[in-house]
Amino acid sequence: MDALMDFLLRFGSQLQSPTLGFLLGGMIIAAMGSRLEIPDALYKFIVFMLLMRVGLKGGMKIREAELSEMFLPALFAVALGIIIVLIGRYTLALLPGVKTEDGIATAGLFGAVSGSTLAAALAVLEAENIAYEGWAAALYPFMDIPALVMAIVLASLYLNKKRGNGGESVKIWPIVKESLQGSALSALLLGIALGLLTQPQSVYDSFFNPLFRGLLSVLMLVMGMEAWARLNELRKVAHWYAVYAFVAPLTHGLIAFGLGWIAHVTTGFSPGGVVLLAVIAGSSSDISGPPTLRAGIPTANPSAYVGASTAVGTPVAIAIGIPLYIGLAQALMGG
């Protein structure tokens, strides 16, 4: 009983973090009809800055780390990206009122990774002085790319069979290329490469790191406003999307937490690293995933998968998921 109360107290304290406050604040002012607008160009610049910061730190830490330490978490990230899409394919995509390709696209978006949710988790961990492997952010592409590839392949196989073209092959490389060229993943990979191959510590300390929390707060405000606006789109499709978007982030995150705990026991993966693995599994892509899916599954309805992700999935992943995984890590592993 004491352990449960301790967890609930920790969970409650996490809900008061400024990162989550700005997200909820954005939703509240949007619900009140505020005309506040953040230019799209500024939003994209903020996302670029945050992911560059995450990538730079990840690259610098990879240079210092033993690659063997990364193997099991990276393997789990790949497996999670595939498993999450398969879960959605055989749950959401089979429900009444849900078009199969729309369900698969939604599963792909929830299997892919949100850079903004990852950045929010990093800010909370650092504010709480919870240690984590700096390279853990580099697990992003290991989950993101397999999820998008899996979703597009499954949708293509389904549509080919539906049209009577069952023998038509699906080309994998164009999907991978499209994912790598996405703005979010490009910024993250560029940051990782610069952190790994150059000496960016001075510019990281003087420019990227000091701006991180302020830019993240603005991004959370924008995402809160966007989430409220997308609710109208979600109302146009089956209500199952709202149910899935609420349940899926927490289900995926808890599966990842369990795998992370295995890595913790077997390789010493830190509690903070376990939290980050759970966070990226519980997130849903909000930047590079939608255009990749639009190109790969053009018959799918963006109102279904983007609405589910932005209006419900991302707020749940940030407001409930992050404090939940931190509370579990502190209760079970002393993180």
Side-chain angles (χ1 to χ4, degrees), residues 186-203:
S186 293
L188 182 73
L189 292 175
L190 175 61
I192 290 173
L194 291 172
L196 187 61
L197 302 174
T198 68
Q199 299 290 334
Q201 189 71 51
S202 58
V203 71

Side-chain angles (χ1 to χ4, degrees), residues 40-318:
D40 188 56
L42 180 59
Y43 168 76
K44 291 178 179 177
F45 175 72
I46 290 173
V47 170
F48 168 78
M49 289 287 291
L50 292 175
L51 291 178
M52 276 292 291
R53 186 267 191 185
V54 172
L56 285 170
K57 183 172 183 178
M60 290 186 289
K61 293 299 182 180
I62 290 173
R63 192 172 60 215
E64 301 169 0
E66 292 287 339
L67 293 182
S68 59
E69 298 174 0
M70 297 180 59
F71 177 76
L72 191 58
L75 181 64
F76 284 156
V78 172
L80 284 162
I82 295 170
I83 290 168
I84 288 169
V85 176
L86 289 173
I87 291 172
R89 170 64 180 93
Y90 294 104
T91 54
L92 175 66
L94 298 179
L95 292 170
V98 176
K99 285 175 58 180
T100 300
E101 59 265 42
D102 290 353
I104 295 172
T106 305
L109 205 61
F110 277 75
V113 179
S114 165
S116 52
T117 304
L118 171 61
L122 291 173
V124 175
L125 287 175
E126 291 170 10
E128 295 290 320
N129 294 315
I130 298 173
Y132 63 91
E133 290 81 358
W135 50 259
L139 296 174
Y140 180 134
F142 288 94
M143 192 180 303
D144 190 81
I145 295 174
L148 292 172
V149 169
M150 189 69 179
I152 294 172
V153 167
L154 287 177
S156 299
L157 291 173
Y158 166 76
L159 293 170
N160 287 341
K161 184 177 179 181
K162 186 179 177 181
R163 296 166 186 153
N165 301 326
E168 189 174 325
S169 62
V170 181
K171 296 180 180 178
I172 302 297
W173 172 242
I175 307 172
V176 176
K177 184 179 178 182
E178 182 78 23
S179 299
L180 291 172
Q181 291 174 338
S183 59
L185 199 49
S186 293
L188 182 73
L189 292 175
L190 175 61
I192 290 173
L194 291 172
L196 187 61
L197 302 174
T198 68
Q199 299 290 334
Q201 189 71 51
S202 58
V203 71
Y204 173 85
D205 289 339
S206 62
F207 182 61
F208 285 98
N209 199 41
L211 294 174
F212 180 65
R213 286 186 177 82
L215 292 176
L216 179 62
S217 298
V218 177
L219 180 63
M220 289 296 104
L221 185 68
V222 174
M223 291 183 68
M225 294 163 60
E226 179 74 6
W228 187 264
R230 290 284 184 180
L231 281 174
N232 287 329
E233 290 188 20
L234 197 58
R235 293 190 186 103
K236 299 174 185 176
V237 296
H239 292 167
W240 285 118
Y241 288 100
V243 176
Y244 174 85
F246 185 87
V247 174
L250 302 178
T251 302
H252 302 160
L254 290 172
I255 293 171
F257 190 94
L259 292 176
W261 181 80
I262 293 173
H264 170 72
V265 172
T266 56
T267 68
F269 195 38
S270 71
V274 174
V275 169
L276 288 180
L277 182 64
V279 166
I280 63 173
S283 71
S284 50
S285 181
D286 49 2
I287 303 165
S288 58
T292 302
L293 290 170
R294 281 193 183 100
I297 316 176
T299 58
N301 180 7
S303 293
Y305 56 85
V306 176
S309 170
T310 307
V312 181
T314 296
V316 167
I318 294 175

